[in-house]
Amino acid sequence: MNVSAEHLNHIYMPKTPLETHALRDISFDVPDGSVTAVIGRTGSGKSTLVQHLNGLLKPTTGQAEVGGHRIHPKMKRKEITALRKQVGMVFQYPEHQLFEETVEKDIMFGPLNLGYSREEVQQILPDLLEKVGLDDSLLPRSPFDLSGGQMRRTAIAGVLAMKPSLLILDEPTAGLDPEGQQNMMRLFENWHQKNGTTIIMITHQMEEAAVLADNVLVIENGMICMEGSPEEIYKREAELRELDLDLPERTKVLQRIEAQTGITFSSLSLSPEEAVEEMSRHQPGRKTDV
């Protein structure tokens, strides 16, 4: 699903003493099937931006387009409903979205409201549960009796069950320990590889962008101040530091290896395994540890 914005502006509480210009002349294009990371520090406008893409907010001026749906200041409720059938949004702490009596009911709530039959949803449940790392024995249990990680996976399963063409992730690893963060990112990476879903991910961690993103938008004071591939963004290290952003650890390690060995990696977003493989090609027969 293609996503774009043209001169998008959003003002909270206009014409009051608390008026805040949250988005300023935002324009961008997200290609179909890509993963775009929206990065910036707290208060930069990241969440305000993506809340336009499923109709939670309307622009003050300008417009956005999501898969043929035009998002504009005078958008009607009927248009918003049609848009939300194609856009799934995983909020920060998605476990706070849970409310049904059982895990099964919570996962099925969204797709049933979109018009899927109960039989259709039950057919996809086993595969969906496997993808999010949940056992079907949890289906009759209350979601509030689960662990924090299981609750989050239940909420995410409910979003994925709606088969969104655009998946928006708002800080999906917030509050998780390092292992939980890796597992969550692996879940979305596998989902994208299998389904080709367009993903827009809000994060303040460059490490997450390195794992998933094809494109990066860096936002500061409601404006896009950098845009490009992860490789292009990483070359602007000094500018990133001014925005309280840092390079991913994997990128720093690869840069040090390049400086020490003279090897030039194909990408500064390589996983350790990919980096070892490339180093082996440069130094055949030599055992390498990263």
Side-chain angles (χ1 to χ4, degrees), residues 239-257:
E239 294 171 74
L240 289 172
R241 291 189 185 281
E242 289 180 4
L243 300 174
D244 297 328
L245 299 171
D246 199 3
L247 295 180
E249 282 302 317
R250 66 173 65 188
T251 299
K252 295 179 184 178
V253 170
L254 294 178
Q255 286 178 334
R256 288 198 294 269
I257 293 173

Side-chain angles (χ1 to χ4, degrees), residues 65 70 81 89 152 165 170 205 221 246 282 289:
E65 188 165 317
R70 192 168 70 90
T81 300
M89 188 161 182
R152 182 165 298 196
S165 300
D170 189 351
Q205 298 187 44
N221 293 326
D246 199 3
H282 282 87
D289 295 316

Side-chain angles (χ1 to χ4, degrees), residues 4-9 26 59 61-65 70-73:
S4 64
E6 295 180 12
H7 307 294
L8 193 69
N9 289 272
I26 293 279
T61 60
Q63 67 174 24
E65 188 165 317
R70 192 168 70 90
I71 300 157
H72 53 92

Side-chain angles (χ1 to χ4, degrees), residues 8 18 229:
L8 193 69
L18 298 176
S229 68

Side-chain angles (χ1 to χ4, degrees), residues 40 86 91 95 104 113 120 153 172 185 189 210-211 246 266:
Q86 294 187 285
F91 293 91
E95 56 271 24
E104 182 176 20
N113 275 274
E120 287 177 306
R153 290 172 184 274
M185 292 303 293
E189 184 177 21
V211 172
D246 199 3
S266 62

